[in-house]
Amino acid sequence: MIQQETLQLLDWPRLCHHLSTFAATKLGALAAQSLAIPASQADSETLLSQTREVYWLDQHTTGLSFGGIRDITAPLERANRQGMLSGEELLDIATTLNGARQLRRAIEAQSSEDLPILQEMVAELRTYPEMEQHIHHCIDDRGEVTDRASSKLSAIRDRLKSTRSDIQQRLQRIMQRQSGALQETLITQRGDRFVLPVKAPQKDAIPGLVHDASASGATLYIEPHAIVDLGNQLRQLLRQERTEIEVVLRQLSEQVAEVYDDLEHLLATVTLLDLAYARARYSLWLEANPPRFVEPGEPTTLRQLRHPLLVWQQRHEQGSAVVPIDLLMQPNLRVIAITGPNTGGKTVTLKTLGLAVLMAKVGLFVPAREPVELPWFEQILADIGDEQSIEQSLSTFSGHIKRIGRILDALDRSTIQNSKLKGQNSESLPSPDSPDVLDSFDSNVDHPPTPPSLTNALILLDEVGAGTDPTEGTALAIALLKYLADHARLTVATTHYGELKALKYQDPRFENASVEFDDVSLSPTYRLLWGIPGRSNALSIARRLGLNSAVVEEAASHMAVGVQEDVNQVIAGLEAQRRQQEEKSQAAAALLAQTEALHNEVRRKADMLRERERDLRAQQETAIQQAIVAAKADIAKVIRKLQQGTPTAQDAQRATEAIDAIAQAQLPTRLPKPTQPKPGFKPQVGDRIRIPSLGQTAEVLTAPDDDHKLTVRFGLMKTTVSLADIESLQGEKAEVPAKPKPQDTVPAAQAGPPAPAVRTSRNTIDLRGMRVAEAEAVLEEAIAHASGALWVIHGHGTGKLKRGVHDYLHRHPQVQRLEAADQSDGGTGVTVVYL
């Protein structure tokens, strides 16, 4: 009883109603409005996992679609009781099967690592596609039984169509013959009989059965005798049609009843999926974060916690901005006393904490900043608000005491139940007559009794001890809070009694908190301050609001002289220190934000400079390539001009000068000679060096060996490099010791200039008649076995083979230069290749 009462006090039904608006189906909305509270932490963890996976689906895919799913609970129950379903109900079952199949496919399409819980939920889901197809075969989109449902029904409807056509034709002929006797030239129906509207004075002109008359009596609706037999046949056929339709519907209903258990499981699974979908969408709308249930020894962390109902009111009802609160509670705390002025937000704080715990239990995310860490409570019990009742003769104090009594009874029942469970799970005890038991009784004389076990419950008390004499109310509140500190895991109470503030300094399990009040604006800020008790602001508020100063001074004279003022001054000093700390913290946070922004700006500009450097390097390389192409073209022109006619030494000299001029025009501006780093750097073990070829900075691990190689490390990789491949961080090249020159085997006096190349059959290849591809293969083979010079005969022809051979030789790494052969060796039809 107290559990349901607590849910009402915390406005839990309103939150469930808000949650239901995010459901996609009627089933999900109904389930959300009557949301059950899990009985174990494992159930809550499962619900949170479902919410987290649906949340992931919504963020990374198109999410879940519940199209076509209907509430088929009532039709399933009636089919299970051998009842007959209508065509519309059967059509709802078919669309629900299809919708469930689409849900299962959307979940199974994802990785099992991303959606383990959801995939386990739909693993055993049976959607009966054959039943769905059979229903659509027999029922059309309007819920009517189709002709193809049975051959007998199709034959009956064919006869119905023929009979109606005969009736229509006979009536048309009668209307043509007796048009003057008709009130209107139309065919109408009364019941299932076709009739004509005949003028009452001329009823004898069309003999038949009168089925109806107009209100004025001027028109009679007559079924002519000529179609009476056809009308009777039509009625019989309609009866046969209804009978056959019932046969089809009953057969389909029996098929549904045969798989009742599977369809009931399907409906329950779809409802659970829709609930998880609603929880995920509501959590996203609240900008909430997933909670983590902490163990008894871990602190509770709820930063920037917002009341979900106030968020709804702000966004949908133009309410005021929601002021978040911070609830940071150490695991040793058992009782938190919140003090402060009225309308300061104490009750809202209690409700916000209670709703946050309930939301986490049912699998909802909590509207607080990450990380969200809070305990899992077995019970949430609350005494909030005024329960006075004239009918029950209950005052405010009596109403509070009766509700607190129910809370204590619930705690006692939970303690007894937990003790029984522990006794059932414990090992068997020794016999009472054994010496061990007697020793234990003797030892209890010298040792204090074991403290009572804590119940994993959250107790929320509003204005504890209020409604009676302040002295007695204070004593009762102190006794109650001490009892709850021994029996409940956490109690949060609001109060105006100053004596409760001192409990913190007597018992480390108690803590003070207060709601902040602005003395200048005379209004609460709704912020929660920890470790500072609230001040009494009654007299200062009364004075500022203009109450008669004599009354205020008289009230001050009745207070303890100096004591209350001193306490208020101490509290005011603590609040001032806290505000200073918060201002400094905010300034530090702002400075940190500026530093991060500056760091990001520097990094962005560095990236821009690197990108600019890459662009310039690319442009430079493009310009160099263009210059090379232009130089080659100019040189080719000089060579072609030289090859025209019979070249002389003067022509060769002019060609050389022209090539030098081209080099002077292109190379100095396009290819600036890079400055070589100064040698002399000697790397030592532990030095930092640069490897230009790899673009890496590395650390020297070993000294250079005899082969001038050393081992370096960059990142997680080790490698061996040569001294010639490294440089210092300042750009100095490593000093490589010169190797001793080998002694010449031939004396210098005997060494002469290299012998001129001589053409032989072995260094001459004939490519005439070949394609360029064939010629390249022959050339590659010849170059591999040749040395010195190679004479290549390609002829003149169209010039295509010659151009292909020259292009290939220019690209070949072993070719030093090319030149045309002497006129005696073939001239420009033969190319001499120097390797």
Side-chain angles (χ1 to χ4, degrees), residues 377-659:
F377 293 101
E378 294 179 5
Q379 300 182 78
I380 297 97
L381 308 174
D383 172 33
I384 300 175
D386 191 358
E387 203 185 42
Q388 62 177 337
S389 172
I390 297 176
E391 292 80 2
Q392 299 181 13
S393 299
L394 292 176
S395 65
T396 298
F397 179 73
S398 301
H400 280 298
I401 293 302
K402 288 182 69 67
R403 191 181 287 156
I404 290 174
R406 292 193 292 272
I407 290 175
L408 297 182
D409 290 341
L411 283 179
D412 293 339
R413 287 194 301 270
S414 179
T415 302
I416 294 173
Q417 183 178 4
N418 292 337
S419 299
K420 289 181 178 180
L421 292 175
K422 291 180 180 178
Q424 293 174 0
N425 296 331
S426 63
E427 299 179 355
S428 59
L429 298 175
S431 171
D433 299 332
S434 64
D436 295 336
V437 176
L438 296 177
D439 293 342
S440 66
F441 282 130
D442 293 338
S443 63
N444 286 336
V445 176
D446 300 327
H447 296 280
T450 304
S453 59
L454 288 174
T455 300
N456 188 17
L458 171 64
I459 312 298
L460 303 173
L461 303 177
D462 191 22
E463 301 295 347
V464 59
T468 186
D469 178 73
T471 303
E472 295 182 352
T474 300
L476 183 61
I478 292 175
L480 176 61
L481 294 182
K482 287 185 175 181
Y483 180 86
L484 292 176
D486 292 332
H487 291 81
R489 182 171 179 179
L490 180 62
T491 300
V492 183
T494 67
T495 181
H496 283 285
Y497 296 142
E499 289 79 357
L500 298 184
K501 307 171 186 177
L503 292 175
K504 171 186 177 180
Y505 308 102
Q506 302 170 8
D507 191 333
R509 298 176 301 171
F510 284 73
E511 179 59 281
N512 286 330
S514 62
V515 288
E516 191 178 43
F517 192 85
D518 190 347
D519 292 336
V520 177
S521 63
L522 300 179
S523 61
T525 64
Y526 303 107
R527 296 175 65 240
L528 190 65
L529 306 179
W530 284 88
I532 301 177
R535 284 187 289 156
S536 174
N537 297 285
L539 297 184
S540 60
I541 293 174
R543 185 179 292 109
R544 289 179 181 274
L545 290 178
L547 187 64
N548 190 298
S549 58
V551 176
V552 176
E553 294 299 331
E554 180 68 18
S557 66
H558 288 290
M559 298 178 61
V561 180
V563 175
Q564 186 67 26
E565 188 63 29
D566 292 342
V567 172
N568 285 338
Q569 288 179 0
V570 172
I571 296 175
L574 293 174
E575 291 179 351
Q577 291 179 7
R578 184 183 184 91
R579 281 193 292 269
Q580 290 177 1
Q581 292 176 355
E582 289 182 350
E583 291 173 358
K584 292 180 179 179
S585 176
Q586 293 173 357
L591 181 60
L592 178 61
Q594 293 177 0
T595 304
E596 291 179 350
L598 180 60
H599 171 71
N600 293 333
E601 180 67 17
V602 171
R603 183 171 58 184
R604 184 182 65 83
K605 290 186 176 180
D607 293 339
M608 291 176 58
L609 288 174
R610 283 193 290 269
E611 185 68 23
R612 176 61 177 169
E613 183 180 359
R614 284 193 294 268
D615 292 343
L616 290 175
R617 188 179 296 112
Q619 294 175 5
Q620 185 179 20
E621 291 177 356
T622 302
I624 291 173
Q625 293 297 330
Q626 293 174 352
I628 292 174
V629 171
K632 285 184 176 180
D634 293 340
I635 293 172
K637 291 179 182 179
V638 174
I639 293 175
R640 283 197 299 270
K641 185 176 181 181
L642 182 63
Q643 290 175 345
Q644 294 174 357
T646 301
T648 62
Q650 294 179 352
D651 294 335
Q653 181 65 27
R654 284 193 295 270
T656 301
E657 293 174 354
I659 292 174

Side-chain angles (χ1 to χ4, degrees), residues 300-319:
T300 299
T301 304
L302 292 170
R303 290 188 177 91
Q304 302 293 304
L305 177 64
R306 294 167 292 138
H307 194 297
L309 301 183
L310 294 181
V311 175
W312 182 279
Q313 184 177 349
Q314 175 192 357
R315 298 186 183 179
H316 287 280
E317 302 172 11
Q318 288 76 45

Side-chain angles (χ1 to χ4, degrees), residues 34-322:
S34 57
L35 204 58
I37 309 298
S40 67
Q41 182 174 341
D43 293 339
S44 296
E45 296 281 6
T46 300
L47 293 175
L48 279 172
S49 298
Q50 294 174 5
T51 307
R52 193 177 291 108
E53 291 181 11
V54 175
Y55 194 99
W56 182 92
L57 262 179
D58 197 51
Q59 296 295 311
H60 294 83
T61 66
T62 56
L64 297 178
S65 174
F66 291 83
I69 294 177
R70 305 285 185 269
D71 184 4
I72 58 174
T73 306
L76 285 182
E77 292 294 337
R78 190 163 66 256
N80 192 42
R81 295 194 299 267
Q82 286 77 47
M84 185 180 70
L85 305 182
S86 66
E88 292 84 356
E89 292 172 332
L90 289 167
L91 195 62
D92 287 345
I93 291 175
T95 58
T96 300
L97 290 173
N98 181 266
R101 189 181 309 112
Q102 300 305 322
L103 278 175
R104 187 182 63 189
R105 288 176 179 172
I107 293 172
E108 291 178 344
Q110 306 303 321
S111 169
S112 59
E113 297 179 357
D114 296 326
L115 308 176
I117 301 298
L118 296 185
Q119 291 193 0
E120 183 180 356
M121 290 176 62
V122 301
E124 302 298 327
L125 205 62
R126 301 189 62 185
T127 57
Y128 293 99
E130 65 281 356
M131 177 186 293
E132 178 194 343
Q133 293 176 3
H134 191 199
I135 292 175
H136 283 301
H137 178 77
C138 299
I139 310 295
D140 61 18
D141 294 340
R142 298 171 298 173
E144 302 289 339
V145 178
T146 61
D147 295 348
R148 59 178 179 268
S150 73
S151 57
K152 186 176 180 181
L153 179 61
S154 178
I156 292 173
R157 287 181 171 173
D158 287 342
R159 293 170 59 190
L160 276 170
K161 184 178 180 181
S162 176
T163 303
R164 287 194 181 96
S165 177
D166 291 343
I167 291 174
Q168 294 282 345
Q169 291 176 6
R170 293 190 184 189
L171 290 176
Q172 289 288 346
R173 288 195 293 269
I174 292 173
M175 285 192 301
Q176 291 176 2
R177 293 195 305 268
Q178 304 293 341
S179 60
L182 297 177
Q183 194 76 31
E184 293 181 86
T185 56
L186 60 85
I187 300 172
T188 185
Q189 282 185 276
R190 287 296 180 269
D192 56 355
R193 312 295 291 194
F194 286 91
V195 295
L196 295 175
V198 181
K199 299 175 182 177
Q202 301 185 30
K203 64 178 181 178
D204 296 333
I206 303 177
L209 303 176
V210 178
H211 288 280
D212 197 4
S214 65
S216 63
T219 304
L220 300 177
Y221 294 94
I222 298 175
E223 180 184 14
H225 289 307
I227 66 167
V228 170
D229 292 339
L230 290 176
N232 294 335
Q233 293 178 17
L234 183 65
R235 177 173 291 179
Q236 292 177 1
L237 290 173
L238 289 173
R239 188 179 300 110
Q240 293 174 11
E241 181 190 31
R242 286 194 295 270
T243 302
E244 189 60 27
I245 286 175
E246 290 180 0
V247 170
V248 174
L249 294 177
R250 190 165 297 280
Q251 290 176 352
L252 292 173
S253 301
E254 290 174 355
Q255 293 179 12
V256 172
E258 291 175 358
V259 295
Y260 169 77
D261 292 337
D262 289 337
L263 294 184
E264 189 178 38
H265 172 68
L266 178 144
L267 210 58
T269 301
V270 169
T271 303
L272 291 178
L273 287 173
D274 192 19
L275 268 179
Y277 177 75
R279 293 196 302 269
R281 293 183 62 201
Y282 185 37
S283 299
L284 179 63
W285 182 84
L286 280 175
E287 299 176 1
N289 290 300
R292 181 180 73 87
F293 294 118
V294 299
E295 298 300 325
E298 298 182 79
T300 299
T301 304
L302 292 170
R303 290 188 177 91
Q304 302 293 304
L305 177 64
R306 294 167 292 138
H307 194 297
L309 301 183
L310 294 181
V311 175
W312 182 279
Q313 184 177 349
Q314 175 192 357
R315 298 186 183 179
H316 287 280
E317 302 172 11
Q318 288 76 45
S320 57
V322 180

